[in-house]
Amino acid sequence: MDFAVGWNRFNLTILGVWPEPRKISNLSRFTSNLIFSFTTFVSVAFICAPQMAHLILKSTNLDEVVENLSINIPIIFAVAKQIVLCYHRKALTFLLSQILDDWTEPIVDEDRQTMLKNAKLSRMISIVCSILTYHMVIAFISLQIWSNMQDTSGVELGGLLLPGTFPYDINKSPNFEITWLGQFIGTVATAICYSCFDTFLALLVLHLCGQLTVLRIALENLVNATMKSNYRKFHKRLGFIVYRQNQLFRYAVIVEDCFNVMLLVQTLICTAMLCMTGYRMMTSVNPEQEDVAIVGVIFFIIHVIYTMLHLFIYCYVGETLLGQSTGIGQSAYNCNWYDLPPKQAVLLVMVICRAKVSFQITAGKFSPFSLELFNAVLKTSAGYLSMLLAMKDRLIEEK
C-alpha cells in the first residue's frame, strides 16, 4: 500500500488533508488541521480575495478580464478541492482502510500481481502529475517575476507575483514582503492541491479497477476450482463473489458521492481554462512585437498540457472502471458454465444481471467520464476559443 499511495500521502500531508487510515495521535490530528487552516487562509487572503477585487475594480478590457480569470479560477477551485478533501475526510479514511485491508489480506500471487499493476499505474500518474505541477509553478513564478521586471507598471503593483487590490499599502515594508511570501505560499499550495486531488481520485478508482479484475479472474476460474459433485464449494465461492461485487459497488458509490460535484465543476473549468489559456497564448504571440515572451509561451504550453492531462486522467480511469465493471458479466459467460448442472448454472444469471449496472464516476451525475467526454470537452473548448478571438477582432475593428 505504501508503494501505491506514497506520493499522494506526501502531497496531501503538506496540505493537512491526508485521511490517514491508521490510528494517529491527537497532536498529529491537530497539526493537520492547523496546516489546512493556514494554507486555506493564506490562499484566500493573499490571492483569491485581492484578485477578485482587482477584477471588479480595475479590469477594463477583455484581455485583463481573461488574464485575471485564467489565474483566479483554478486557484479558487484548488482551494475548494482542499475544503472538499477535508469535509469528506471520514469517508476517504474509510476508503483507504478498505485499500489497506485489501493489501494486508493473504492473496494468491496472480491477484497480487494484478493489484500491483494498477498500483504502479497510479504511482506513475502521481509522479508525472507532481513533476509537471512543480515545473508549472516554477514557470509561472518565473513568468511573473520576468513580467514585473519588464513592465514599468509593475512598480504600481509592487512587483507581486499576482496583481491584486489590497486594503493596505503594499509598497511599504514589511507589507510587501509579507504579501509576496503569502502569494508564494498560496500559489505553491493551490498548485499542489489542484494536482493531488486528481491523482488521489485516480488512486481510489484504479484500486477499485484492480479489485474488479481480481473478481473477474475468480469468476472465470469458478467452475474449474469446483470439484465435480461438490457443489457446496461452488455455492460458497459464488456467494463470496456476489458479496464482493456488492462490497465494491458500495466503494464506488462512496467515491462517486465524494467527488461527483467537484468533477462537474472540474469539467466546466477545464473547458474554460483550455479556452482562456489558448486565447492568452495566441494573443501573447503578436507578430508586430519584436520580442516574444519565450517564458510566457512555455508556461502557456505547459498549462495547456497540464489541464488536458488532468482531464484525460479522469476520463481514462472512468473508461477503465466502466469496462471492468461491465466485464464481470462477460467473465461469468466465459467460465465453463456448460459443465455445471442447470440448477447451478442458472445462478450465474444473477451475476450477469448485476453487472449490467455499471460502476461510474460522473460529472455531477449528468455524464459518466469516458474518452468520449474528453473528446467533447476539447471540441467545446476550441469553439469557445474561436469565439473569443472573433470578439477580440471585432473590438479592434470598432476602435
Side-chain angles (χ1 to χ4, degrees):
M1 177 179 172
D2 292 335
F3 175 82
V5 307
W7 278 82
N8 287 281
R9 176 190 293 155
F10 173 76
N11 289 326
L12 292 177
T13 301
I14 292 177
L15 303 173
V17 291
W18 170 249
E20 178 57 51
R22 303 180 181 92
K23 291 184 179 181
I24 58 175
S25 63
N26 293 330
L27 178 60
S28 299
R29 188 177 294 108
F30 173 78
T31 303
S32 297
N33 294 332
L34 182 63
I35 295 174
F36 165 76
S37 302
F38 173 74
T39 54
T40 304
F41 172 78
V42 168
S43 301
V44 173
F46 291 100
I47 300 180
C48 299
Q51 277 209 308
M52 188 60 65
H54 189 78
L55 172 66
I56 297 172
L57 299 176
K58 295 187 177 181
S59 297
T60 57
N61 55 58
L62 179 62
D63 290 348
E64 290 180 356
V65 171
V66 171
E67 181 179 0
N68 185 292
L69 292 178
S70 64
I71 297 174
N72 202 20
I73 287 178
I75 290 178
I76 293 176
F77 187 56
V79 174
K81 284 182 174 182
Q82 190 173 356
I83 295 174
V84 167
L85 289 174
C86 183
Y87 179 78
H88 292 295
R89 189 192 295 268
K90 290 184 178 179
L92 297 177
T93 301
F94 172 76
L95 294 178
L96 285 177
S97 65
Q98 293 293 308
I99 295 176
L100 181 61
D101 292 341
D102 292 337
W103 280 104
T104 53
E105 289 181 356
I107 52 178
V108 298
D109 291 339
E110 183 181 5
D111 294 346
R112 182 170 291 276
Q113 290 299 321
T114 300
M115 294 171 58
L116 189 60
K117 179 181 178 181
N118 285 271
K120 288 180 179 179
L121 179 58
S122 63
R123 181 181 175 86
M124 183 186 68
I125 291 174
S126 300
I127 293 174
V128 171
C129 290
S130 297
I131 293 175
L132 190 58
T133 298
Y134 299 146
H135 280 80
M136 193 186 69
V137 170
I138 294 173
F140 175 76
I141 294 176
S142 301
L143 172 63
Q144 295 303 104
I145 294 176
W146 182 87
S147 299
N148 289 333
M149 293 174 60
Q150 297 294 323
D151 190 1
T152 56
S153 63
V155 178
E156 300 176 359
L157 301 174
L160 296 176
L161 289 177
L162 300 167
T165 301
F166 296 85
Y168 53 86
D169 187 3
I170 58 174
N171 293 315
K172 293 183 179 180
S173 181
N175 294 349
F176 170 76
E177 289 79 4
I178 294 175
T179 305
W180 195 95
L181 181 61
Q183 288 193 340
F184 176 79
I185 295 174
T187 301
V188 174
T190 52
I192 292 175
C193 185
Y194 193 95
S195 174
C196 66
F197 180 94
D198 301 342
T199 58
F200 184 61
L201 173 62
L203 163 69
L204 297 176
V205 177
L206 287 176
H207 178 79
L208 176 59
C209 293
Q211 293 303 305
L212 289 171
T213 304
V214 171
L215 193 64
R216 292 183 60 181
I217 294 174
L219 190 56
E220 291 177 357
N221 297 331
L222 176 63
V223 178
N224 295 334
T226 304
M227 296 177 61
K228 293 183 178 180
S229 303
N230 186 11
Y231 298 114
R232 180 180 300 179
K233 186 176 181 181
F234 170 83
H235 291 156
K236 182 179 179 180
R237 289 178 175 270
L238 182 61
F240 172 78
I241 290 174
V242 173
Y243 169 78
R244 185 58 176 165
Q245 187 180 15
N246 290 330
Q247 190 179 38
L248 294 177
F249 179 75
R250 289 193 295 269
Y251 179 103
V253 169
I254 294 175
V255 174
E256 166 72 7
D257 292 341
C258 290
F259 292 97
N260 75 87
V261 176
M262 296 303 294
L263 291 178
L264 173 62
V265 181
Q266 176 84 28
T267 304
L268 299 176
I269 287 180
C270 282
T271 305
M273 291 306 302
L274 287 172
C275 171
M276 289 187 289
T277 305
Y279 174 84
R280 291 185 64 191
M281 181 171 60
M282 296 182 70
T283 54
S284 65
V285 182
N286 191 344
E288 298 179 358
Q289 295 179 352
E290 296 181 359
D291 297 330
V292 179
I294 302 298
V295 178
V297 174
I298 294 175
F299 168 74
F300 292 139
I301 294 174
I302 294 177
H303 196 190
V304 169
I305 296 174
Y306 179 83
T307 305
M308 291 179 61
L309 175 62
H310 281 259
L311 179 62
F312 179 78
I313 289 172
Y314 287 141
C315 295
Y316 172 77
V317 298
E319 183 87 16
T320 304
L321 182 61
L322 283 171
Q324 291 295 339
S325 61
T326 55
I328 292 179
Q330 185 64 37
S331 297
Y333 180 77
N334 289 338
C335 73
N336 299 334
W337 52 268
Y338 41 81
D339 291 336
L340 296 171
K343 290 184 178 180
Q344 278 69 37
V346 76
L347 296 177
L348 296 174
V349 176
M350 293 188 303
V351 179
I352 297 175
C353 292
R354 181 65 184 81
K356 292 182 179 180
V357 182
S358 60
F359 298 5
Q360 298 179 351
I361 54 171
T362 65
K365 298 186 182 298
F366 287 104
S367 174
F369 277 91
S370 62
L371 297 180
E372 183 179 357
L373 178 63
F374 179 75
N375 187 33
V377 170
L378 293 184
K379 289 182 178 180
T380 305
S381 300
Y384 288 147
L385 174 59
S386 63
M387 182 190 70
L388 277 180
L389 294 174
M391 288 177 58
K392 180 178 177 61
D393 294 338
R394 184 176 179 180
L395 290 175
I396 294 175
E397 291 176 359
E398 291 178 354
K399 291 181 180 180

